[in-house]
Amino acid sequence: SEMIQQRLEIAEVPAKLAAFVHRYAAGNPFYCEELVLALRDTGRIRVSRGVCHVDSLEPASSGIPLPSSLERAIVSRIDVLSDEDQIVLKVASAIGDEFTTDMLESVFSDRAPELSIAASVGRLVDGDFLVSHGSAATSAYDFRHSISREVTYNLLSSVQRRLLHTAIASFIERSHEGKLQPFHARLARHWEQGGDFVRSLRYLELAAQQALLNYGNHDAIRYVDELIGLSSRAKISVGDAERATWEIISGDACHELSEYERSSEHYRQAMRLLGQRLPDTLGRKLAAVAYNCAVQLKSRVLPSRPRPLSPDQRHGLQCASHIYEHLSEQYFFLNDSLAVLNGTLASLNLAEECGAVPETIRGYSALALGLAMSGMVGLARGYSRRAQLLAEQHGSLPELARVQLVVGVLEYGLGEWAIVAHRAEQATALYRKLGDRTRVHNSQAMAAFAALLSGDVETAGQLDQTLGAELSVDSSPQVRAWHLAIRLLLASPRSGVDAEDLMNLRRLADAKLIRTDRLLCL
């Protein structure tokens, strides 16, 4: 009764109407609203000055059939609209998102004057099909409910759909030329529905890359899955280099989510497509380390210009360098010193070979960490200084932040707590500017552990409290485990351990964590 009263804007709901809607809507709130609107639009009930007048509601009393389902209730309302309003509503359903009258105009082209479209949209708002957002000057419209949009869209033929989606995609490209980044996913959908699968694939890949840059890792993985599915359905041949790019996007997204097993598998597939092979046995790892050491030694003793490369060759080497760098980070967490040393050496050698400055900066810092893990501290600090110098001269914000974090991790392993605190503070500030929450939390956790290990319990507690306040259920299990471990370590000597913290840590230990983090939890 309250829903009917609100939807019809009436003072009192007739008992006969309430009982009828209750019986036929079967408790579905949206069907309740659509049914009562269908009764109003088909003339079964009349509303005048806040008073509802009910005619006979029995099916036999009228030539208008009683809507027997939610879909039929919506269709019955559409059927009583004027031809123009029906066409406008159907075009709006193809848009699928918020739209403006300008967009509708572009789809209709010269077939309907602007005032007619605006008037039709106004009637559809009054009829509870559409809702308006924004000010009068910049109004945007959307369907009141997604089910209404789906039902309306299903009334279009396949030919009508293709033509509409093509027109909508073309309008978006014209209207936002040079600024299409926010529209990549929408354009991919419209071009797919319009039958242009090649364009759709291009926009899906751009959407995946953009999601990754904006730390939308789950979206990036979903877009890549859609890429693979669409290319298969449309039987579009995709080259190895492009497939490798898709695998790298998924690998990076899983890496950022600390899902290292899945990430590693995507990277392996990408390396295979790039014609590279990751060493998988002890003998091959030792041989790879020896080879990469020799290449790096030669580049330091006899520096030379990078050899001429085609754009495809340069891109392939850059991708391989990127993969080795990320895998080295995973090897570090797995405490595999040999794999870290080989991965960091390979990453740097490939970066220097293709002349990629960002990868070279990250390669220097990563190799410094690999060398330190292998006991070559002096050499490690030499590469660390080289990374910092190159980052300050030629690096962008991501490279500067990365160097601060990796050098902090290096000094953490060497027990230089004051340096760690400074590096962690710098990394936290830079990653905040970038909007990379995961690495902000990594930097904060490193600083808190460093304070704890150096005996500065008060600072450790403050840092961990700040970290805990920023964490959420979306934060990685790895960082949440670190936070709880610090909190429990701080509480244990004071006999202030919280049983709930212990239970939460147990749940995290049972989650999909890498071995070292699981041991920390236990």
Side-chain angles (χ1 to χ4, degrees):
S1 294
E2 289 175 9
M3 281 191 290
I4 295 169
Q5 187 176 8
Q6 184 180 32
R7 181 53 57 201
L8 295 179
E9 297 180 356
I10 55 178
E12 187 178 352
V13 179
K16 184 165 62 172
L17 175 61
F20 179 86
V21 173
H22 180 263
R23 184 168 75 251
Y24 281 95
N28 182 316
F30 183 59
Y31 186 19
C32 168
E33 290 191 344
E34 288 299 313
L35 179 58
V36 78
L37 291 174
L39 293 171
R40 180 198 67 184
D41 294 350
T42 55
R44 298 285 193 88
I45 60 176
R46 291 171 289 109
V47 177
S48 176
R49 297 181 180 181
V51 178
C52 180
H53 304 277
V54 181
D55 295 334
S56 175
L57 294 172
E58 294 306 312
S61 68
S62 169
I64 305 169
L66 178 69
S68 58
S69 67
L70 177 56
E71 183 176 355
R72 285 194 61 179
I74 297 168
V75 171
S76 68
R77 295 184 59 216
I78 295 171
D79 284 343
V80 297
L81 295 174
S82 67
D83 290 344
E84 183 181 5
D85 289 356
Q86 285 192 38
I87 293 170
V88 170
L89 192 66
K90 289 175 181 177
V91 172
S93 74
I95 295 171
D97 300 287
E98 279 194 359
F99 59 90
T100 61
T101 51
D102 288 342
M103 183 177 284
L104 287 173
E105 278 295 323
S106 75
V107 176
F108 279 104
S109 189
D110 298 329
R111 286 181 292 168
E114 183 179 355
L115 287 175
S116 178
I117 297 293
S120 179
V121 168
R123 290 191 294 271
L124 291 169
V125 170
D126 292 339
D128 292 300
F129 285 99
L130 304 177
V131 290
S132 175
H133 305 293
S135 63
T138 58
S139 279
Y141 302 92
D142 202 353
F143 275 79
R144 189 170 63 84
H145 199 286
S146 60
I147 298 176
S148 298
R149 190 200 71 79
E150 290 171 15
V151 171
T152 308
Y153 184 75
N154 288 336
L155 298 175
L156 292 165
S157 69
S158 57
V159 174
Q160 288 174 320
R161 292 178 191 179
R162 281 199 301 273
L163 291 172
L164 285 173
H165 284 294
T166 299
I168 294 162
S170 299
F171 171 80
I172 294 172
E173 287 183 337
R174 286 194 311 272
S175 302
H176 304 280
E177 189 176 0
K179 299 177 182 178
L180 290 175
Q181 284 184 356
F183 304 98
H184 288 156
R186 290 177 68 179
L187 284 165
R189 178 171 59 81
H190 286 304
W191 281 122
E192 180 184 356
Q193 297 297 326
D196 193 331
F197 302 122
V198 173
R199 276 190 181 181
S200 181
L201 284 175
R202 179 163 60 86
Y203 280 118
L204 265 178
E205 185 174 322
L206 289 170
Q209 291 171 341
Q210 193 64 32
L212 192 63
L213 286 172
N214 292 328
Y215 310 105
N217 299 302
H218 291 292
D219 286 337
I221 293 168
R222 178 168 56 83
Y223 289 139
V224 171
D225 290 343
E226 289 178 19
L227 274 166
I228 294 168
L230 177 57
S231 62
S232 176
R233 291 193 305 273
K235 296 181 172 57
I236 296 173
S237 178
V238 180
D240 286 348
E242 195 166 1
R243 286 272 185 187
T245 298
W246 300 354
E247 293 288 351
I248 291 170
I249 292 171
S250 291
D252 286 356
C254 291
H255 181 85
E256 293 301 316
L257 293 168
S258 302
E259 296 181 10
Y260 296 138
E261 192 174 325
R262 284 178 64 195
S263 172
S264 177
E265 183 54 37
H266 284 297
Y267 286 147
R268 285 186 180 280
Q269 291 293 336
M271 290 294 264
R272 182 183 60 79
L273 291 163
L274 292 169
Q276 302 266 358
R277 183 174 180 176
L278 293 168
D280 53 359
T281 64
L282 179 60
R284 285 177 179 151
K285 286 179 183 178
L286 288 169
V289 168
Y291 170 78
N292 283 308
C293 277
V295 171
Q296 185 56 210
L297 183 62
K298 181 184 174 185
S299 69
R300 299 279 73 84
V301 176
L302 300 170
S304 59
R305 286 188 173 186
R307 63 186 175 91
L309 297 168
S310 69
D312 288 343
Q313 288 174 320
R314 180 173 287 104
H315 177 70
L317 292 174
Q318 201 167 349
C319 287
S321 172
H322 174 89
I323 290 170
Y324 269 118
E325 180 204 341
H326 281 67
L327 284 174
S328 297
E329 187 175 339
Q330 296 176 21
Y331 299 147
F332 171 79
F333 286 122
L334 294 170
N335 204 30
D336 189 339
S337 301
L338 186 63
V340 171
L341 182 59
N342 179 61
T344 53
L345 277 166
S347 175
L348 178 56
N349 288 338
L350 290 164
E352 290 184 328
E353 185 179 354
C354 67
V357 173
E359 280 77 12
T360 302
I361 295 170
R362 293 197 296 268
Y364 283 147
S365 60
L367 180 56
L369 188 57
L371 290 167
M373 284 186 72
S374 303
M376 293 174 272
V377 177
L379 202 54
R381 284 189 163 140
Y383 274 99
S384 171
R385 287 190 293 272
R386 190 183 287 268
Q388 293 173 69
L389 184 62
L390 191 58
E392 288 165 5
Q393 291 175 343
H394 304 290
S396 58
L397 201 59
E399 282 75 53
L400 287 165
R402 179 77 175 172
V403 166
Q404 294 293 338
L405 178 58
V406 175
V407 173
V409 173
L410 185 155
E411 297 296 347
Y412 180 96
L414 300 173
E416 298 289 351
W417 309 124
I419 299 175
V420 174
H422 175 69
R423 297 296 184 192
E425 185 180 353
Q426 295 293 314
T428 300
L430 291 169
Y431 279 122
R432 280 200 194 283
K433 285 185 180 179
L434 288 165
D436 188 340
R437 286 195 311 154
T438 299
R439 287 196 167 80
V440 165
H441 297 157
N442 287 352
S443 305
Q444 290 173 319
M446 179 173 69
F449 268 117
L452 182 65
L453 290 169
S454 66
D456 189 349
V457 175
E458 185 179 349
T459 300
Q462 291 170 352
L463 289 167
D464 188 59
Q465 191 173 10
T466 302
L467 172 62
E470 294 186 12
L471 294 178
S472 67
V473 291
D474 296 329
S475 301
S476 75
Q478 184 182 44
V479 176
R480 284 186 284 141
W482 293 346
H483 158 61
L484 281 174
I486 296 167
R487 196 151 90 182
L488 286 162
L489 287 167
L490 288 167
S492 295
R494 304 167 182 167
S495 301
V497 172
D498 189 325
E500 189 177 349
D501 283 348
L502 284 169
M503 292 305 297
N504 286 333
L505 201 64
R506 163 62 69 183
R507 281 192 284 269
L508 285 168
D510 293 336
K512 206 168 186 180
L513 294 175
I514 58 173
R515 186 185 305 163
T516 48
D517 289 331
R518 193 162 189 273
L519 285 171
L520 174 66
C521 290
L522 294 173

